[in-house]
Amino acid sequence: MPRMLLASQLARWLPPDPLRPEGAVQLDVGGDTVGAALESLFAIHPNLRGYVLDEHGGVRHHVAIFVDGRSIRRKDRLDDPLGADAEVHVLQALSGG
Amino acid sequence: MSDRLLVSTRKGLFVLERRGGAWAIARHAFPGDNVTLALHDPRDGAITAALDLGHFGAKLQRSTDGGASWTELAVPAYAEGDEVATGDGKPNAPASLKLVWSLEAGSPDQPGRLWAGTLPGGLFRSDDLGASWQLVRGLWDVPDRMAWFGGGYDTPGIHSICVDPRDPRVLRVAISTGGVWRSDDDGASWRQCAHGMRAAYMPPELAHEPNHQDVHRMVQCRASPQRLWVQHHNGVFRSDDGGTRWTEIEDVPPSVFGFAVAVHPRDPDRAWFVPAVKDERRIPVDARLVVTRTRDGGASFEQLDAGLPATPSYDLVYRHGLAIDASGDGLAFGSTTGGLWTSPDGGDHWQPLDARLPPVFAVAYA
């Protein structure tokens, strides 16, 4: 199953959970595209939708998503395929101060 | 007099409390995060904070325990097909929430009601304390919106919402740059009201066009709601008829330019401003930080600086950076360089907070 890693700057906005260690968060997500994997994430953590995506459903300007070390191709399409062992990193971009 | 202040800054929300005459930081919520403004809801004492997480977008959070813990609210959102247009030839673009730039509570008879004004210019209404928001289409769909401009930001924004103390269905909002709009039917329909304002930055034939007036901040006197005061891009304006006609106050030393204004809750003739050199410079006149006060409806002004720095000061106070409390005696203002001053006596004397804050965006009493 693809694995998603949320950078700590994003993970800190998850609802508080005493069982969850501080810092980056790792979770298994279903889906064979980036978009499907994100929907899988939002099913578990619905409040993150508005942090990762803008209201038009595209990845926010200053959020970056990498699949197996390579940036997704299009922030507005999210159709990059995911292999069964893919690693998806969701990060705060260094742009935007 | 109020003993609590909410100071929204580039690096978090500071709750200040006064103990024994001196103000001090009691709590620092959202450390490191950009807080645009905070609303104290007089109906239940809750604090609603608007955050601007540059990477993750605008967010709203609410606390019912004085800022110790917070619950995330829904944020206003634009729909597919909603477009931002500006009257200066920039191409239309899909609307998406850039900033929550004003927040107001409804009346006690409207227990769940909140209003949120935003960049890029939409007004939103909630009836469940922010669990959901609806775009007020009565204002969004006015044809004149296509001719609004940005003012301070690239797109138009609603920075002032006045809920009429006599009837909460009567609303007045001010827009940079789009004049003043009024609704008498809880937001279903709206009309432009900035008649009598003058835009010195427009071609002469358009200078009196209400839709092109860059109101920086608008406030309404609680006890005399027919009186409103505006700090505008090139002057001070006063309305005596509930915001339908405006009179320009021309002689405002040391400068007619500024962003903030506060009006006394009971005396409509008493208002405070924090002037700066117009209009692209925006620094205190002669590097001297002063607060100006009128007590006679703008016929004359005093420059108040007792307790303000005697040394050169380049503090600038943004439009939400000046507040007055419910007694009318307590005033506070914060600057973009992190200064924060309070007065217990209507501005006659000022005291600096014994701390250097991050850039201050908004100050509100709680």
Side-chain angles (χ1 to χ4, degrees), chain A residues 9-13 16 47 49-56 60-63 91-97, chain B residues 10 30-31 33 51 53-59 61 72 76-82 94-98:
Chain A
Q9 301 97 332
L10 180 59
R12 63 173 278 232
W13 295 103
N47 80 306
R49 179 184 298 275
Y51 285 74
V52 177
L53 304 182
D54 65 27
E55 62 224 90
H56 304 293
R60 283 190 177 275
H61 194 69
H62 295 299
V63 172
L91 318 166
Q92 176 172 303
L94 283 181
S95 60
Chain B
R10 180 87 172 78
F30 310 110
D33 295 318
L51 278 64
L53 305 180
H55 297 77
F56 304 127
K59 303 290 175 228
Q61 298 257 358
E72 187 159 7
Y78 292 87
E80 182 123 5
D82 289 336
S96 86
L97 179 68
K98 171 122 179 63

Side-chain angles (χ1 to χ4, degrees), chain A residues 6-8 11-12 21-25:
Chain A
L6 308 178
S8 60
R12 63 173 278 232
E22 293 236 346
V25 163

Side-chain angles (χ1 to χ4, degrees), chain A residues 28-88:
Chain A
D28 292 332
V29 289
D32 55 3
T33 63
V34 167
L38 286 174
E39 287 303 323
S40 181
L41 169 71
F42 301 146
I44 306 166
H45 295 300
N47 80 306
L48 284 191
R49 179 184 298 275
Y51 285 74
V52 177
L53 304 182
D54 65 27
E55 62 224 90
H56 304 293
V59 175
R60 283 190 177 275
H61 194 69
H62 295 299
V63 172
I65 301 184
F66 288 80
V67 178
D68 295 329
R70 288 168 62 179
S71 170
I72 58 173
R73 279 179 311 223
R74 291 274 301 260
K75 281 189 164 187
D76 57 341
R77 292 249 286 265
L78 306 178
D79 53 6
D80 308 71
L82 298 185
D85 295 321
E87 253 191 17
V88 183

Side-chain angles (χ1 to χ4, degrees), chain B:
Chain B
M1 252 198 301
S2 179
D3 289 325
R4 182 181 285 186
L5 274 165
L6 307 175
V7 182
S8 302
T9 78
R10 180 87 172 78
K11 297 291 183 184
L13 174 65
F14 292 86
V15 181
L16 307 187
E17 283 172 2
R18 175 169 44 196
R19 300 158 187 151
W23 290 89
I25 298 169
R27 188 183 299 284
H28 185 195
F30 310 110
D33 295 318
N34 185 325
V35 179
T36 312
L37 47 84
L39 169 72
H40 172 251
D41 191 333
R43 299 168 300 183
D44 62 0
I47 304 170
T48 305
L51 278 64
D52 177 18
L53 305 180
H55 297 77
F56 304 127
K59 303 290 175 228
L60 289 173
Q61 298 257 358
R62 192 162 200 268
S63 173
T64 51
D65 57 8
S69 65
W70 297 84
T71 306
E72 187 159 7
L73 304 177
V75 273
Y78 292 87
E80 182 123 5
D82 289 336
E83 281 203 334
V84 187
T86 53
D88 55 2
K90 292 202 270 283
N92 290 7
S96 86
L97 179 68
K98 171 122 179 63
L99 206 63
V100 173
W101 214 20
S102 44
L103 276 174
E104 286 300 333
S107 77
D109 299 328
Q110 306 169 315
R113 173 67 57 84
L114 291 173
W115 298 100
T118 68
L119 273 130
L123 177 69
F124 287 80
R125 172 181 136 178
S126 175
D127 281 302
D128 51 17
L129 292 179
S132 62
W133 295 92
Q134 294 78 44
L135 176 62
V136 176
R137 295 206 170 266
L139 183 61
W140 185 252
D141 292 340
V142 298
D144 273 354
R145 181 175 68 81
M146 300 292 115
W148 291 354
F149 300 138
Y153 287 90
D154 290 348
T155 57
I158 300 175
H159 50 72
S160 300
I161 301 169
C162 294
V163 179
D164 197 301
R166 298 163 292 191
D167 180 353
R169 292 166 307 168
V170 178
L171 304 151
R172 297 165 178 89
V173 302
I175 299 149
S176 280
T177 292
V180 175
W181 290 77
R182 171 176 170 161
S183 172
D184 290 313
D185 53 12
D186 210 26
S189 63
W190 295 81
R191 64 185 186 280
Q192 172 63 268
C193 286
H195 310 288
M197 290 193 189
R198 179 182 63 89
Y201 43 84
M202 293 298 294
E205 60 271 31
L206 293 174
H208 293 279
E209 178 57 53
N211 212 35
H212 294 325
Q213 301 304 321
D214 184 8
V215 175
H216 284 176
R217 183 79 173 123
M218 179 175 74
V219 293
Q220 183 175 31
C221 177
R222 180 148 197 87
S224 293
Q226 292 297 89
R227 170 64 54 80
L228 293 102
W229 288 92
V230 148
Q231 172 68 68
H232 177 289
H233 188 86
N234 54 252
V236 170
F237 293 85
R238 188 194 77 219
S239 176
D240 305 317
D241 64 357
T244 303
R245 291 222 55 89
W246 298 84
T247 302
E248 185 165 1
I249 312 291
E250 303 212 42
D251 189 12
V252 187
S255 170
V256 296
F257 180 89
F259 287 101
V261 55
V263 62
H264 194 281
R266 288 180 308 284
D267 180 357
D269 288 334
R270 217 180 303 187
W272 293 258
F273 304 82
V274 190
V277 179
K278 69 143 189 137
D279 79 285
E280 59 283 350
R281 293 200 185 154
R282 301 144 191 239
I283 48 178
V285 178
D286 299 327
R288 217 181 118 232
L289 179 62
V290 297
V291 173
T292 51
R293 176 179 67 198
T294 180
R295 289 192 279 190
D296 53 13
S300 64
F301 288 84
E302 304 155 90
Q303 297 185 48
L304 311 171
D305 63 1
L308 296 183
T311 47
S313 301
Y314 292 89
D315 294 84
L316 180 66
V317 177
Y318 274 166
R319 61 193 81 211
H320 299 108
L322 170 67
I324 186 165
D325 75 4
S327 76
D329 293 321
L331 284 154
F333 71 93
S335 78
T336 60
T337 35
L340 192 292
W341 288 268
T342 57
S343 169
D345 55 10
D348 287 332
H349 300 91
W350 295 93
Q351 187 154 32
L353 179 71
D354 196 6
R356 295 169 64 90
L357 295 179
V360 176
F361 298 135
V363 174
Y365 280 93

